Amino acid sequence: MLKILMAEIKYFKLPLLVIFALPLIFTVAALNDILLFEQVYFLKKYFWSVFVGLGTYALIIIIWSLRKKEIRERVHAALPVSVGKLAVGRWIFAVSPFLIVGFYVELLRCFIPVRQIIFIDRINGQLGMLFLALAAVDLAMNSWSALEFKRYDKRLFFTGLISAALLISGFGVIYLASASIIQPLSPSGDENIFLIQPQTSGGEEILFFVWGTVLSVIDLFVFKKRKSFLT
Amino acid sequence: MTHAFEIERLEKTFSEFKLGPIDLILEPGTVLGYVGPNGSGKTTTMQCMTGLIRAESGTVKIFGKENDPNNPEWKFDVGYAGDKRVFYENWSGEKNLNFQKQFYPDWDVQLEKELIKRFEIPIKKKAKRLSSGNRAKLSLIGALAHRPKLLILDEPTSGLDPVVRTEFLDVLFEVIESGERAIFYSTHILSDISRIADELAFLNNGVITLKTSKEDLTENWRRISFKLPQEISEFPAAVAVEREASNYRIISRNYQKTIDALKRLDAENIRAARMSIDEIAVQILKNKN
């Protein structure tokens, strides 16, 4: 398991490095009031959410599309490693960037004065939602392989049912986490660029991470039950 | 004696195709050619064996150990080169082999180096930049270097030009000669099979229609021509019959039996010619039973 995990980390070292370096760079920048943060309100406002939030997600999407393109599960399934270990290695690789960045952002919120890191609270809302979405999509895909019935329509039905349940539960979590999620960010409406963006402040976005982690753990067990490792 | 592998009542159903039930045994030190048209189930059988897909029912034992995905010890005895050659594409061939090496305690670095040299692979090149021939060779090195007791090769020469294919088969020959290794080799390139296989299993529409030794085929199958005034459409052991006036040409799967019958019918000018494995295989696949 560790060998596979290390290989994945080495293979994707550049995007992973960027994922972990971005929050650090912006923390240093914020603490020093450099990078025009103080002078340019726009930069101060959107750098965190665009670079750290969406940037992290974009890089994770790149990593997972590449894994899919190179049929990584097939490479690993041929090795003398138990499917349980494969599933755990895959799970750690999938969730750790989200959880590490999320945890780091929460730490910042606790220890750094708000003036330097305004709007940082949005990042975990974004990251959490995206983590939840990715876990749900992966669970649906693995269920497709695990629920291999002789009848195609039965398989389609059950996978559809699982996907629908995931979507509904995901939206439920989002609703619980922030009632203002689809409200413009300011009453004037001139800043509604990121409409689907929770502006939570009381730490409700942790729910996204919790629910995303729950789904990813279910996904871990479903992965072990896959009937095929060809895709 | 432990079989190299033993497949019992293996079944796998897809929406438009069903494999099996398959029963197949391979003894150590033997090369079994798995022959069948595209879509007959060769790849599915091998993928079930190697754990890439799970069968619905049946068992696969490799050197006596069941191919349990949760207890992968049996994989140490298996070298597999699949129909799709998958790698870490942005890593060089060398790095890909180094990755694989970590999982096999018996990995033979000397053999790996020899094969790289022998195949003349640009090993420092990224996998994605390798030609399909070099990818096939890299895949074979990965399958051979841990000195497995069973090699499972799924159409390893498909898509290769004749020169590369010959090199590839030459290396396989050396592997076969060097020991007790069993090889399960699927292909629809019949000339490959006639070079290396000891036994042949023919698969059609997911079912094994015949399993026999290569000698058995070459000794028993004949193309027979003769003259017979009367019109007869069926002869004992004949799989194909052609007639032009009183001249017949038939293909027999047991020429002795056919010739005895022809003698009883007072056929004249009986001539029997040996057939190549390729010709025989085509006839078997055409007849489907």
Side-chain angles (χ1 to χ4, degrees):
Chain A
M1 182 192 81
L2 267 181
K3 288 169 191 164
I4 286 182
L5 188 59
M6 289 313 291
E8 290 297 299
I9 291 171
K10 275 184 201 161
Y11 192 70
F12 292 111
K13 61 177 182 278
L14 191 62
L16 287 174
L17 198 72
V18 176
I19 287 171
F20 296 123
L22 275 174
L24 291 176
I25 291 168
F26 283 102
T27 308
V28 172
L31 287 174
N32 289 294
D33 282 346
I34 55 170
L35 275 180
L36 306 172
F37 267 50
E38 281 303 297
Q39 286 77 21
V40 186
Y41 180 74
F42 179 85
L43 285 181
K44 190 170 180 171
K45 180 164 185 181
Y46 293 116
F47 258 39
W48 276 99
S49 57
V50 171
F51 284 95
V52 181
L54 295 179
T56 303
Y57 190 65
L59 289 167
I60 286 171
I61 287 285
I62 290 169
I63 289 173
W64 283 84
S65 339
L66 205 59
R67 282 186 98 256
K68 180 125 188 79
K69 191 179 159 205
E70 295 182 4
I71 327 178
R72 190 74 83 245
E73 318 309 350
R74 191 172 176 151
V75 176
H76 293 166
L79 295 167
V81 178
S82 74
V83 70
K85 285 183 179 172
L86 282 185
V88 175
R90 186 177 184 272
W91 180 81
I92 295 172
F93 183 70
V95 303
S96 47
F98 284 109
L99 297 187
I100 291 172
V101 174
F103 182 69
Y104 178 75
V105 169
E106 284 305 311
L107 275 185
L108 283 188
R109 282 176 58 170
C110 296
F111 294 109
I112 296 185
V114 176
R115 196 178 63 79
Q116 266 97 349
I117 49 168
I118 60 165
F119 305 114
I120 194 174
D121 51 303
R122 290 189 195 141
I123 297 169
N124 271 357
Q126 286 175 347
L127 267 183
M129 276 169 66
L130 300 169
F131 173 44
L132 185 63
L134 194 67
V137 168
D138 199 52
L139 180 53
M141 283 163 71
N142 283 331
S143 303
W144 177 254
S145 174
L147 292 170
E148 195 183 288
F149 299 113
K150 282 181 188 174
R151 280 177 52 198
Y152 183 81
D153 51 353
K154 198 174 164 190
R155 182 185 187 192
L156 195 67
F157 174 75
F158 279 104
T159 309
L161 203 68
I162 288 171
S163 308
L166 292 176
L167 275 176
I168 291 165
S169 63
F171 278 114
V173 169
I174 290 166
Y175 179 77
L176 284 174
S178 173
S180 58
I181 190 166
I182 51 169
Q183 298 298 317
L185 295 179
S186 70
S188 63
D190 60 344
E191 293 169 359
N192 56 0
I193 303 167
F194 300 107
L195 278 180
I196 309 297
Q197 175 175 270
Q199 48 173 12
T200 56
S201 57
E204 299 96 324
E205 67 278 3
I206 297 299
L207 267 179
F208 299 142
F209 285 96
V210 172
W211 187 236
T213 307
V214 170
L215 290 192
S216 69
V217 171
I218 298 172
D219 190 29
L220 188 157
F221 289 102
V222 174
F223 180 84
K224 281 174 71 176
K225 296 284 170 201
R226 273 175 71 150
K227 303 282 194 314
S228 160
F229 295 93
L230 298 179
T231 52
Chain B
M1 187 178 66
T2 315
H3 306 297
F5 72 71
E6 186 180 5
I7 302 176
E8 261 183 66
R9 312 294 297 164
L10 185 82
E11 283 183 88
K12 178 78 184 171
T13 310
F14 297 99
S15 50
E16 287 165 5
F17 172 74
K18 182 175 183 270
L19 174 75
I22 298 279
D23 290 282
L24 203 56
I25 286 175
L26 178 66
E27 301 302 342
T30 314
V31 181
L32 173 62
Y34 204 34
V35 187
N38 288 332
S40 56
K42 303 186 295 292
T43 297
T44 305
T45 310
M46 292 184 162
Q47 286 170 345
C48 285
M49 289 176 74
T50 51
L52 287 177
I53 56 176
R54 287 187 196 174
E56 279 141 28
S57 59
T59 55
V60 177
K61 283 181 184 166
I62 311 260
F63 287 98
K65 294 174 203 152
E66 202 162 319
N67 70 339
D68 179 0
N70 294 309
N71 188 8
E73 251 183 56
W74 55 276
K75 284 189 180 174
F76 291 115
D77 292 331
V78 179
Y80 171 62
D83 58 333
K84 266 194 183 166
R85 288 114 197 181
V86 283
F87 303 103
Y88 279 85
E89 298 293 340
N90 285 306
W91 275 355
S92 64
E94 187 179 36
K95 222 168 174 181
N96 271 287
L97 290 175
N98 286 340
F99 166 69
Q100 255 182 286
K101 191 187 297 179
Q102 307 171 78
F103 296 91
Y104 297 96
D106 294 334
W107 189 276
D108 186 337
V109 179
Q110 198 53 43
L111 177 65
E112 177 197 339
K113 281 181 186 163
E114 272 173 37
L115 289 171
I116 291 169
K117 199 172 168 189
R118 176 84 197 271
F119 278 144
E120 296 175 353
I121 302 179
I123 200 71
K124 303 277 181 197
K125 233 182 183 179
K126 282 185 177 177
K128 68 180 176 187
R129 308 230 181 279
L130 292 175
S131 65
S132 58
N134 282 328
R135 287 172 74 88
K137 291 172 183 174
L138 187 64
S139 175
L140 186 67
I141 295 173
L144 284 172
H146 62 283
R147 295 198 172 276
K149 291 193 276 181
L150 170 65
L151 257 182
I152 299 177
L153 305 175
D154 187 6
E155 311 223 7
T157 56
S158 71
L160 304 185
D161 64 56
V163 177
V164 179
R165 221 172 74 221
T166 310
E167 278 176 30
F168 194 96
L169 290 174
D170 286 346
V171 169
L172 269 188
F173 256 130
E174 287 168 23
V175 168
I176 295 162
E177 282 167 5
S178 68
E180 283 290 288
R181 207 166 295 179
I183 301 180
F184 187 34
Y185 186 109
S186 91
T187 187
H188 51 244
I189 303 172
L190 297 165
S191 55
D192 290 359
I193 282 292
S194 55
R195 277 188 72 185
I196 64 166
D198 303 307
E199 292 180 349
L200 295 167
F202 292 89
L203 189 71
N204 227 321
N205 285 325
V207 178
I208 291 177
T209 52
L210 179 69
K211 187 195 174 217
T212 184
S213 70
K214 197 165 76 178
E215 280 71 34
D216 193 43
L217 291 179
T218 48
E219 286 309 309
N220 289 313
W221 284 67
R222 293 285 189 279
R223 197 181 291 279
I224 302 171
S225 59
F226 56 90
K227 277 192 171 189
L228 194 66
Q230 64 265 45
E231 191 181 332
I232 298 175
S233 58
E234 282 186 14
F235 296 91
V239 294
V241 179
E242 276 177 38
R243 178 174 177 260
E244 251 176 57
S246 60
N247 294 320
Y248 281 83
R249 277 190 304 170
I250 66 173
I251 291 170
S252 168
R253 60 172 181 262
N254 184 336
Y255 84 101
Q256 209 55 60
K257 203 170 170 183
T258 311
I259 284 177
D260 288 347
L262 291 176
K263 281 178 181 166
R264 283 197 296 275
L265 290 166
D266 292 327
E268 293 172 359
N269 227 358
I270 302 171
R271 282 183 196 155
R274 279 183 177 272
M275 293 171 73
S276 68
I277 286 290
D278 308 17
E279 290 172 310
I280 297 168
V282 168
Q283 288 303 322
I284 292 170
L285 294 174
K286 264 166 58 178
N287 279 283
K288 298 185 180 178
N289 49 45

